[in-house]
Amino acid sequence: MTSNTTTPEDALMAFGKKWWLLLILGALSIVIGVMALNNPASATATLILLFGIWLFVSGIGTIVRAISNNTEGSGKALMLISGVLSVILAVIFFNGGIIDKVELAAIFMGITFIFRGMAELVAGLASKGESGRGWAIFIGIVTLLAGIITINNPVGSLVTVTQVIAIFLIFSGIMEIVGSFQLRSLGKK
């Protein structure tokens, strides 16, 4: 029987040989970020589409989390309701034509964020002693605030989120490119 032990140096050298993958990811991130800044209407439409997909996927994830969570009572029930509603809303979002109406889609997002934020907050508050409780409370508050802001300025909020994501992609791309060259030098050692 042979044992295959890899040292951290071996792992870094293996990653270093694939440095170009990070370089490509960085370049793509920059290109997508610049495209989003140059064409905010298309970027916002893409954001709306991704929101609908997120509703569905996160709804399934929340249902699974609620079922597998040890928390009892209102926190678990709210998470389960939130997950089921997210899946239902995703279906309505795509089948009801909401995706084509930017302001309505933004209000829809805001309402979803408010409900999900409340569900996360209550689940976090109810899960005393559980790991990740602080993060659940934090995410609940941030999501709740994002919902309130989105409801108060639907279109402006979407455009702002699109611009923030675009700028994040550009900076992330730059960091990935820098990281790829650092990784390349590790692969040569």
Side-chain angles (χ1 to χ4, degrees):
M1 184 170 164
T2 62
S3 67
N4 185 8
T5 56
T6 304
T7 65
E9 293 81 20
D10 292 339
L12 283 174
M13 285 182 59
F15 283 125
K17 292 178 182 174
K18 303 290 184 189
W19 66 274
W20 54 272
L21 290 171
L22 192 57
L23 177 69
I24 291 171
L25 180 63
L28 281 173
S29 294
I30 291 172
V31 168
I32 292 169
V34 169
M35 287 172 57
L37 284 177
N38 287 331
N39 195 347
S42 291
T44 302
T46 302
L47 177 66
I48 291 169
L49 173 68
L50 291 174
F51 175 75
I53 295 168
W54 171 81
L55 263 176
F56 184 77
V57 172
S58 72
I60 298 295
T62 303
I63 291 168
V64 169
R65 213 169 102 208
I67 291 170
S68 65
N69 196 344
N70 292 334
T71 306
E72 296 294 328
S74 62
K76 186 172 192 158
L78 257 175
M79 284 180 67
L80 188 59
I81 292 167
S82 174
V84 170
L85 283 176
S86 288
V87 171
I88 292 169
L89 290 175
V91 171
I92 293 169
F93 194 77
F94 287 112
N95 291 334
I98 293 172
I99 197 167
D100 297 326
K101 299 168 185 76
V102 174
E103 190 165 345
L104 188 57
I107 291 169
F108 201 77
M109 287 178 180
I111 292 168
T112 302
F113 287 156
I114 288 171
F115 189 78
R116 293 295 296 269
M118 288 189 308
E120 281 290 333
L121 185 58
V122 169
L125 292 171
S127 62
K128 289 185 171 86
E130 296 285 325
S131 65
R133 178 179 188 243
W135 283 111
I137 293 169
F138 175 74
I139 294 297
I141 291 169
V142 169
T143 307
L144 184 61
L145 290 173
I148 293 167
I149 291 168
T150 303
I151 293 283
N152 286 323
N153 186 2
V155 176
S157 295
L158 279 182
V159 171
T160 301
V161 167
T162 302
Q163 291 170 339
V164 167
I165 291 171
I167 291 168
F168 171 79
L169 283 169
I170 292 168
F171 282 116
S172 178
I174 291 168
M175 297 307 295
E176 288 163 343
I177 290 172
V178 169
S180 73
F181 288 113
Q182 291 172 337
L183 205 57
R184 180 180 173 200
S185 67
L186 288 173
K188 290 182 177 180
K189 290 183 180 180

